[in-house]
Amino acid sequence: MDINYKLFTIFIILFSYYKNVHDLHMFQLNSYRQERYLKWYRKKYSKFIKDYDVMLLLGSIIFIIAYTNFDNLIIKVIITIFSAILISISVFIYVFRISNENVKKKLVYTNRIKRLIGTLGIIYFVFSVTVIFSNNIILIILAIILNVFSFISILLSNYINKPIELKIKNKFYKDAKNILESNKHLTVIGITGSYGKTSTKNLLYDLLKRDYNVLITPESYNTLYGVIRTIREKLKPTHDIFIVEMGAKQVGDIKEICDLVNPDMGIITSIGEQHLETFKNISNIIKTKGELFEGIKPNGKAFINISDENIMKIKKRSDIEYIKYNNLNDDIVGNYYADNIKISNKGTEFDLVDKDNYVLPVQTKLLGKHNIFNLVSAISLALEVGVKYEKINNLLKDIEPIKHRLSLRTTTNRYTILDDAFNSNPVGSKNALEVLKNFEGNKKIIITPGMIELGEKQDILNEKFGEYIADSADFVILVGRKQTLAIQNGLKNKNYDKNNIYIAKDLNDGFDKINSIIKTGDVLLIENDLPDTFNE
């Protein structure tokens, strides 16, 4: 290869390195899981070769033809200039498009990302040095392939780093285990469920924190890595109770967290059709959530929602105690149940009745029927741990809804927002629509991109969601045309007025529409806000 070939190839390599920053961002949003990243990539880039790739390929082919078929210097220069223009257009289109993406969550430069960037740098450095000292034309073809299919470099770097990441994980796991074992008096409470686990965790924390020194896994740190990090960074010998939220997307996820923390008690809030994309069927979800009750220490306590038929399918153990809870509508009555339930714009009221028929009136600002179960499970566990009955109501009165989980706020323009943007599932979305429908106000508006990760049932459940929307909302804003096709079908099934539907190209477009139509006294439900990997 002559010097022009080498310079051209190194330019393509540098461009690939630049593209990999965006690839890393998407890899991080897919939890560094190779199979999820590839699945996302196939779905997102159904047309693998984009317009900027076409420009780069054309420019490269013309460049190669010029330097392999023509000896005339003038022709070479002219074709090189033309080739450079095409490749510059490719770079411009890519940079312009990436720079103008509306990113909700930027790339976080964690140590893992830094290690991947370092490995990518080494790969490209070695490649560039090889180009400088080699005359093999195959190298330029390889550089073009790595540019067009830039995800290959991400997967290669991840594969190279795998032994390092495993070693780091094992070291951190061992550290966390040692910290837990050194705290002999610590009580560990595990909470899992398809819906409601974060809300229940926060409710329980608020009920226990006045009497005990309590640590909870923060925000949505509900994976093994998140739990390990919480233990290593936050757990102190002075803590009495550690509340661990346990999330799962595949069989075995809860077991590996239980193997680490050995819970003394556990709550399974609910089991439903969530993350079907990875679980495949409801049986696998029941099995995985049941890993919490299997992981409780002998003589420990399992808090079981007997209103949930899926939870009742979990195999019982004889060496742990089951504390049952439910509401009075069921045929059987648990150790604790909710009676005389009243839900209004201001919150929820009910009577908590225990097995000895002691009645505790409960008042809270939380909205939605689903929060009844979250409250009853948290109160039940707090009472079993030792919190006095007479303290419960005062503790609950101070509790505010968690942000973006059906939290309520009024804007300066005097319209009301029901913010349920954190995520959406079949049960939660239906409850949120019920709250919207019954909420006092003028026009009821919803903005949503729909529900995701529901596997083969996703379209069916979103179509049903569309039908519920038709019964509850006066105006509908759907974010993303392709993403919301099933919801659109659901609205059609109910003969919903097309003039009251707006399809937004993205979230910003959706809120521009809201600002143009909303008035004083209206109520807006924000149902779900998808991550950047779902931008159309």
Side-chain angles (χ1 to χ4, degrees), residues 33 169 173 177 180 222-228 231 244 246-263 288 291-292 294-295:
R33 293 192 178 189
K169 177 187 171 185
Y173 185 95
K177 194 78 177 170
L180 283 168
N222 57 18
T223 63
L224 180 65
Y225 281 107
V227 176
I228 288 173
I231 294 169
V244 183
M246 300 176 175
K249 289 192 174 178
Q250 55 194 34
V251 176
D253 280 357
I254 302 295
K255 183 180 183 303
E256 66 178 1
I257 299 176
C258 286
D259 288 344
L260 171 66
V261 302
N262 294 321
T288 306
E291 289 168 359
L292 171 56
E294 288 174 17

Side-chain angles (χ1 to χ4, degrees), residues 457-490:
K457 286 192 171 182
Q458 183 156 305
D459 285 347
I460 297 169
L461 292 168
N462 271 310
E463 187 169 329
K464 201 73 186 167
F465 179 39
E467 292 176 4
Y468 292 142
I469 289 174
D471 292 335
S472 310
D474 302 305
F475 197 93
V476 183
I477 298 171
L478 301 175
V479 181
R481 183 171 295 280
K482 293 179 188 172
Q483 176 70 31
T484 60
L485 276 176
I487 301 176
Q488 294 169 42
N489 290 335

Side-chain angles (χ1 to χ4, degrees), residues 238-251:
T238 51
H239 280 120
D240 303 309
I241 294 174
F242 181 31
I243 304 174
V244 183
E245 180 180 335
M246 300 176 175
K249 289 192 174 178
Q250 55 194 34
V251 176

Side-chain angles (χ1 to χ4, degrees), residues 19 45 47-59 86-87 89-94 97 148:
K19 286 175 80 174
Y45 294 101
K47 292 179 182 175
F48 268 87
I49 298 179
K50 314 299 286 186
D51 47 5
Y52 45 79
D53 293 328
V54 172
M55 288 292 178
L56 184 121
L57 283 169
L58 278 175
L86 287 175
I87 291 172
I89 292 172
S90 166
V91 174
F92 175 79
I93 293 173
Y94 181 80
R97 202 162 285 168
V148 174

Side-chain angles (χ1 to χ4, degrees), residues 112 165-166 169 172 221 223-230:
R112 183 167 184 171
E165 298 301 333
L166 186 62
K169 177 187 171 185
F172 288 172
Y221 279 37
T223 63
L224 180 65
Y225 281 107
V227 176
I228 288 173
R229 184 175 173 184
T230 305

Side-chain angles (χ1 to χ4, degrees), residues 309-506:
E309 60 180 17
N310 289 323
I311 294 178
M312 294 301 285
K313 292 176 184 172
I314 296 172
K315 189 179 177 183
K316 302 291 187 300
R317 287 173 52 185
S318 59
D319 59 342
I320 61 173
E321 182 183 358
Y322 287 91
I323 309 294
K324 301 170 186 173
Y325 66 90
N326 62 330
N327 66 45
L328 196 57
N329 293 328
D330 298 315
D331 295 332
I332 51 174
V333 174
N335 301 66
Y336 299 92
Y337 63 87
D339 193 11
N340 298 322
I341 298 168
K342 295 174 188 170
I343 300 174
S344 69
N345 289 3
K346 295 179 181 175
T348 304
E349 294 179 32
F350 63 92
D351 290 333
L352 181 85
V353 185
D354 71 7
K355 60 182 183 300
D356 299 320
N357 290 322
Y358 182 88
V359 178
L360 174 67
V362 174
Q363 290 181 313
T364 169
K365 298 173 186 172
L366 302 183
L367 296 169
K369 196 186 292 179
H370 58 295
N371 271 319
I372 301 288
F373 287 109
N374 298 337
L375 282 160
V376 175
S377 64
I379 295 171
S380 305
L381 198 147
L383 291 171
E384 292 290 326
V385 167
V387 176
K388 302 296 182 190
Y389 274 93
E390 54 269 24
K391 284 187 177 181
I392 296 290
N393 234 338
N394 284 334
L395 295 170
L396 286 174
K397 281 178 182 174
D398 296 332
I399 293 176
E400 296 289 339
I402 305 169
K403 281 185 179 177
H404 312 305
R405 293 171 192 265
L406 206 53
S407 55
L408 179 68
R409 54 194 164 99
T410 304
T411 68
T412 50
N413 293 330
R414 304 187 71 178
Y415 64 86
T416 301
I417 295 176
L418 294 167
D419 185 352
D420 201 30
F422 181 75
N423 64 21
S424 191
N425 57 65
V427 174
S429 61
K430 191 178 175 184
N431 285 329
L433 285 169
E434 192 175 309
V435 172
L436 176 70
K437 185 177 181 179
N438 296 319
F439 209 91
E440 291 175 14
N442 297 329
K443 186 187 290 182
K444 312 288 176 67
I445 304 168
I446 180 173
I447 177 169
T448 181
M451 301 179 287
I452 59 167
E453 296 185 343
L454 296 171
E456 293 176 354
K457 286 192 171 182
Q458 183 156 305
D459 285 347
I460 297 169
L461 292 168
N462 271 310
E463 187 169 329
K464 201 73 186 167
F465 179 39
E467 292 176 4
Y468 292 142
I469 289 174
D471 292 335
S472 310
D474 302 305
F475 197 93
V476 183
I477 298 171
L478 301 175
V479 181
R481 183 171 295 280
K482 293 179 188 172
Q483 176 70 31
T484 60
L485 276 176
I487 301 176
Q488 294 169 42
N489 290 335
L491 291 166
K492 280 180 196 169
N493 295 345
K494 288 278 186 174
N495 296 318
Y496 196 80
D497 188 347
K498 283 193 288 187
N499 295 320
N500 292 334
I501 303 172
Y502 180 77
I503 312 290
K505 64 180 180 181
D506 55 35

